[in-house]
Amino acid sequence: HRTQTFLKNSYDELTSLKISSNNKIIYAFTSFNKNKPSFKPYILFYSYSSEHETKFALINKCMFNQDVIIDCDIAPRNNLSIVISKQGNCDFVSVLDFINNEILVTTAINIDYYNIKWNKYLKNLEFTTISTKAMTFWRINTSDGALQYQQANFDFNEIDYELTCIEFMKPLNNNDNIVVLLVGCSNGDVLSFDTKTNSMIASFKNISNHKMISSIVTTMNNVAFVVDNDIVFYDINYEAAKTTTTYNYISSLFISKQHSMSFDSKILYTDNDISTNDITILTTKRILYYVNTEEETSVKLHRFINTEEPIIKLMLMKKTVDKYTVADDNIYREENLNIDKLSYYIVTAHLGGTL
């Protein structure tokens, strides 16, 4: 166990902290500080050496001119980061080169986004943003670096619930190479979208007893939905998916047997390694669990009792770095890993800037 302080100033507060999908970059960001009106938010990018198990080394501190940083995500295989920021009533979506500390392009859009996520399974630079009533698919044009975007082919204003979370699934069928985007909703519904056409594949009513789905987790053989104290999950049979189309398989996925696991209190954060069936969970009682969705087992790992400082993020961090292969079909696939030899760090980020 060890700690490292990211923020030096007492008026700074850590808003969130994430890890890149290749386990090489940690990035933390701060947001609006009511005690310091002149405060401008920034993102800190740190590199990490899994081979030498050294502390995180600062790469860059990237400042933003807007009032608030809402969310950010980092590209799986290059030095680009995407950022949602806000100035007044206007949202900005920016592409940032964090090595050279340069904002490459910014687009202003009048939608209150709160979540942004790279499509890590595509070679093309594509990502998705959501608000409570809108979802936008983005692409970075490789020829001129411009941002192109298209709203989802669905009118969310016609529904009486809100969008709460998104997660991409790895391709189910190598023949059609469709990357499916799952969308959780405030009434317990799940929507699925084809990221090629930006259109809905199917919707699934009330998988969580009308309770809000707060996050979605995909593991090697399951897709799981976090609902209050519970994780509700379904099995994914990739061999069966290969015998039909992605549309047909997704349309029947959530009709299959549902599993669930309950915990001591509301689930705050989850993280996982998609090459396994393992999930780490942190609850409001500050208890850390290890969960295996295939065996439906959980182990209590730790309870945080030595600090009252709020925990704002949980991360599962491989000690080994993922390697990817790229096929002609533009889909990224992980190389085969020896699951028995995988080991992890479990990382928590705290409001005052301590990791």
Side-chain angles (χ1 to χ4, degrees):
H1 176 272
R2 64 171 181 260
T3 61
Q4 181 174 346
T5 300
F6 279 2
L7 305 181
K8 304 299 183 182
N9 299 316
S10 59
Y11 55 79
D12 289 358
E13 289 184 350
L14 194 63
T15 305
S16 188
L17 184 139
K18 298 183 179 181
I19 185 171
S20 62
S21 60
N22 64 5
N23 284 265
K24 289 183 178 180
I25 304 294
I26 288 278
Y27 50 111
F29 63 91
T30 66
S31 190
F32 175 73
N33 192 305
K34 62 183 179 181
N35 297 319
K36 191 174 177 62
S38 60
F39 174 86
K40 289 297 181 182
Y42 56 87
I43 306 177
L44 300 168
F45 292 90
Y46 289 83
S47 64
Y48 174 74
S49 170
S50 59
E51 295 179 357
H52 301 97
E53 300 189 7
T54 58
K55 285 191 174 183
F56 301 100
L58 181 64
I59 300 172
N60 253 323
K61 178 179 180 179
C62 303
M63 305 294 295
F64 279 75
N65 291 323
Q66 287 79 38
D67 291 334
V68 183
I69 294 175
I70 304 297
D71 197 15
C72 65
D73 200 8
I74 199 167
R77 287 156 288 273
N78 58 35
N79 58 330
L80 298 182
S81 177
I82 44 175
V83 183
I84 304 173
S85 57
K86 180 181 284 293
Q87 181 74 38
N89 294 323
C90 188
D91 276 30
F92 295 84
V93 176
S94 304
V95 179
L96 171 69
D97 178 342
F98 61 83
I99 296 296
N100 297 307
N101 200 357
E102 178 184 4
I103 296 177
L104 303 179
V105 61
T106 297
T107 296
I109 192 165
N110 193 26
I111 298 177
D112 287 328
Y113 294 125
Y114 63 85
N115 188 214
I116 192 166
K117 191 177 289 285
W118 280 105
N119 187 340
K120 65 182 179 180
Y121 299 109
L122 291 181
K123 182 181 177 182
N124 293 335
L125 297 174
E126 299 182 16
F127 58 94
T128 300
T129 52
I130 62 167
S131 70
T132 56
K133 288 288 186 179
M135 185 164 65
T136 309
F137 295 91
W138 301 77
R139 174 181 290 184
I140 303 173
N141 192 317
T142 54
S143 61
D144 59 7
L147 272 176
Q148 302 170 332
Y149 65 91
Q150 180 183 345
Q151 301 301 329
N153 295 323
F154 185 82
D155 188 359
F156 294 103
N157 291 316
E158 293 185 354
I159 58 179
D160 58 358
Y161 50 84
E162 297 180 346
L163 311 182
T164 57
C165 54
I166 54 176
E167 184 60 76
F168 293 99
M169 294 179 66
K170 65 180 180 180
L172 298 167
N173 188 320
N174 295 344
N175 294 321
D176 56 27
N177 288 320
I178 294 172
V179 177
V180 175
L181 177 66
L182 297 176
V183 184
C185 302
S186 58
N187 67 339
D189 286 6
V190 174
L191 313 177
S192 60
F193 281 80
D194 178 351
T195 56
K196 281 186 176 180
T197 63
N198 303 340
S199 56
M200 185 182 291
I201 300 174
S203 62
F204 309 94
K205 298 294 183 183
N206 187 31
I207 69 163
S208 61
N209 196 26
H210 299 291
K211 294 181 179 180
M212 183 185 77
I213 298 172
S214 58
S215 63
I216 304 172
V217 181
T218 54
T219 67
M220 182 170 65
N221 295 319
N222 305 101
V223 55
F225 303 93
V226 176
V227 183
D228 287 343
N229 295 30
D230 303 324
I231 289 186
V232 178
F233 54 97
Y234 295 81
D235 298 332
I236 302 173
N237 187 331
Y238 286 97
E239 291 303 314
K242 293 177 183 178
T243 65
T244 183
T245 66
T246 295
Y247 272 55
N248 287 340
Y249 187 79
I250 287 294
S251 297
S252 62
L253 175 60
F254 300 114
I255 302 174
S256 61
K257 182 182 177 182
Q258 180 191 98
H259 311 265
S260 63
M261 299 178 68
S262 297
F263 296 88
D264 60 86
S265 56
K266 184 177 180 180
I267 298 170
L268 280 179
Y269 304 109
T270 63
D271 203 2
N272 70 298
D273 173 10
I274 198 169
S275 62
T276 72
N277 292 304
D278 304 331
I279 304 175
T280 49
I281 290 173
L282 182 68
T283 66
T284 53
K285 289 187 177 181
R286 303 166 71 88
I287 298 176
L288 185 67
Y289 290 91
Y290 162 85
V291 175
N292 185 285
T293 55
E294 186 174 37
E295 299 176 357
E296 298 185 44
T297 57
S298 65
V299 178
K300 187 183 295 186
L301 296 178
H302 184 70
R303 184 170 185 177
F304 295 90
I305 58 175
N306 295 328
T307 175
E308 296 181 357
E309 189 177 45
I311 299 172
I312 53 90
K313 193 64 178 178
L314 167 74
M315 297 187 305
L316 185 66
M317 187 172 178
K318 278 185 188 177
K319 290 186 180 180
T320 55
V321 175
D322 285 347
K323 295 181 180 179
Y324 292 84
T325 57
V326 187
D328 294 335
D329 53 24
N330 194 39
I331 300 291
Y332 275 102
R333 295 183 177 85
E334 291 187 19
E335 294 180 357
N336 292 327
L337 298 172
N338 187 338
I339 303 301
D340 293 334
K341 293 183 179 180
L342 289 178
S343 57
Y344 303 91
Y345 295 114
I346 295 173
V347 184
T348 56
H350 301 255
L351 186 67
T354 301
L355 181 68

